[in-house]
Amino acid sequence: MSGTADSETEMAPAVRRTIHGPYVRIAHWINALAIMVMIGSGWEIYNASPLFDFVFPKSITLGGWLAGALLWHFAAMWIFIANGLVYIVFGLTAGHLRRRLLPVRFGEALSDAGAALRGKLRHGDPFSYNAAQRALYVAVLLAGLLIVATGFAIWKPVQLQWLTAAFGGYENARLLHFFSMAAIAVFFIVHVTMAFLVPRSLRAMIRGY
Ligand code: HEM
């Protein structure tokens, strides 16, 4: 009979609860694009004067040559910085960063990461990140801050000599810039793999629910 409590529950329209609000989603995808442009063009810039005994294959670099790559790098840099500021300011004022990314507990992060590697980590609650995710997201935000600061230190070593000096000089700042890129690139590979292994998390980051 249609009047029973059970059948009413069955017929009630599914409630869509927002998992990621629009500002998080827009900032996330702008950031993903800006990072890809910055890494691809950064590799081309690196190839013009390699720090180590290798260069990046031309097919995975962006810009074609040094001057082209610099244009891409600086254009994406301003987008990355402006977008990052919006994400951080909104994240702090709306409480998003505190609610979703904190606390970071290393013991829990390691055990969740171990469980994820054994395929035993449950991704039951789409509204909260597990400890390994929280640690990785906070770490990548810090790597983002470091890559911007070291980038300015090697871009304007005369005007911002205090900054370059704070990183131990131009060569050290350049190394730190490279290693922040490497950390973000490793995060990117792990993060995108996880996103495709848990497709409903990817759908939520695209449409919000
Ligand atoms: C095409 C590449 C990317 C894909 C497919 C992707 C996918 C996702 C997905 C599905 C989530 C939600 C995870 C969940 O609900 O369990 C997420 C969150 C997040 N991603 Fe990505 N992502 C990409 C690139 C990046 C990049 C390049 C960064 C930073 C360097 C990044 C940083 C983050 C952060 C910090 C969060 C947490 C956002 C928040 O709740 O405030 N992502 N990503």
Side-chain angles (χ1 to χ4, degrees), residues 20 24 28-29 31-32 35-36 87 96 100-101 123 126 129 133 137 140-141 184 187-188 191-192 195-196 201-202 205:
H20 302 295
V24 171
H28 177 267
W29 293 119
N31 173 64
I35 285 277
M36 285 191 274
Y87 172 79
H96 169 84
R100 290 281 172 105
L101 304 191
H123 201 276
Y129 295 129
Q133 277 176 304
Y137 293 156
V140 82
L141 290 178
I184 293 174
F187 165 86
F188 189 91
H191 180 64
V192 175
F196 282 94
S201 76
L202 185 55
M205 193 41 106

Side-chain angles (χ1 to χ4, degrees), residues 14 33 54 74 83 104-105 110 148 167 177 184 187-188 203:
L33 192 67
F54 68 89
F74 289 126
N83 183 60
V104 172
R105 294 202 182 93
L110 282 179
V148 170
F167 288 118
H177 195 65
I184 293 174
F187 165 86
F188 189 91
R203 280 196 297 273

